[in-house]
Amino acid sequence: YYGKLPPTFPLPGILSRMDSITKKYYDNYRKKIPPILKGKLNEKLVDAQCAEALRKGIKCSFTELNAELKGKMDDCMIGDDEKYVVIDNKTANPDNEELLGVYKMQLDAYAFLLQQNNYRTAKHGYLIYYVPESGDPEKGVVFKAEVKKLALSPERIPQIIKDTVSLLRKSSPPKAHKDCEMCKYLRDLEDRD
């Protein structure tokens, strides 16, 4: 099916712009709690050097699998106990429970990467949702931050990587699940050929 998969796109403009805005905002509050997050969490943002390194990406190798995991974090916080706390900014609906499992795995992977790079990590992380609250498109929109604290399970990541690599290296793809949207897309392409 190579060449028939849907094209990949960069983040839509508004999401990319929001990502840039939140990162610049955080950069004004290094080693502090940004005002929009006061009272919602207790940890402080990491220093600028650490934030820059995490934004560029951290990685770890699975030499026995000939594989590598890399992640570029939005940012990170640090608690009074000197443990790093993974955060990820979202513009999605905070009430969308369907995406929560995917987001939790993302935070687990970031925490795993931190651990593999000798950072002491907290047992929790935060999803920070930026939600439009009020405003006028001509005069400006006010956002509020909603914070979800999640218990993390970074120890599950090695098995997920192992299973993923094993699946990707099979000589033929697994049977399609009846509800898989990608499988439906590929079947539709075959029917048109």
Side-chain angles (χ1 to χ4, degrees):
Y1 295 111
Y2 182 74
K4 291 187 177 183
L5 296 176
T8 58
F9 297 100
L11 281 175
I14 195 163
L15 298 181
S16 178
R17 185 72 181 125
M18 190 66 189
D19 187 60
S20 176
I21 288 169
T22 55
K23 286 177 180 172
K24 285 179 185 172
Y25 174 73
Y26 288 168
D27 286 343
N28 292 321
Y29 298 98
R30 291 284 149 211
K31 294 190 169 185
K32 299 177 189 171
I33 300 173
I36 198 167
L37 299 175
K38 279 207 169 138
K40 298 178 183 190
L41 42 75
N42 297 316
E43 297 87 354
K44 298 172 182 160
L45 288 168
V46 295
D47 64 40
Q49 184 178 358
C50 182
E52 183 180 343
L54 297 175
R55 288 174 182 172
K56 284 182 180 175
I58 58 175
K59 60 186 175 181
C60 76
S61 294
F62 293 84
T63 50
E64 72 283 2
L65 299 172
N66 192 25
E68 182 176 86
L69 176 65
K70 182 177 181 180
K72 294 181 178 183
M73 298 172 60
D74 285 342
D75 220 302
C76 197
M77 303 191 100
I78 192 162
D80 291 336
D81 59 1
E82 297 296 312
K83 289 186 178 176
Y84 288 80
V85 180
V86 176
I87 64 171
D88 196 63
N89 300 317
K90 300 295 181 192
T91 53
N93 177 354
D95 298 323
N96 185 341
E97 293 295 318
E98 288 179 32
L99 292 174
L100 197 56
V102 173
Y103 293 161
K104 183 183 179 318
M105 185 170 19
Q106 182 183 13
L107 293 183
D108 287 344
Y110 288 152
F112 177 80
L113 284 168
L114 286 171
Q115 290 172 355
Q116 295 304 301
N117 285 273
N118 301 314
Y119 292 85
R120 291 178 54 233
T121 59
K123 294 182 184 224
H124 66 278
Y126 296 110
L127 293 174
I128 303 173
Y129 294 88
Y130 286 91
V131 182
E133 187 173 44
S134 62
D136 179 325
E138 291 180 29
K139 298 176 185 168
V141 177
V142 175
F143 285 82
K144 67 178 179 174
E146 291 188 28
V147 176
K148 277 195 181 186
K149 182 177 181 178
L150 299 176
L152 299 184
S153 308
E155 67 280 355
R156 73 185 182 129
I157 296 302
Q159 187 62 49
I160 291 171
I161 297 297
K162 185 177 179 182
D163 292 345
T164 302
V165 168
S166 174
L167 178 69
L168 291 171
R169 291 189 177 148
K170 287 189 175 196
S171 58
S172 59
K175 276 190 122 168
H177 187 277
K178 65 180 176 65
D179 296 328
C180 173
E181 290 298 320
M182 181 59 72
C183 297
K184 290 176 187 174
Y185 173 82
L186 293 172
R187 278 195 302 273
D188 288 347
L189 280 177
E190 284 178 342
D191 290 344
R192 283 188 251 160
D193 288 343

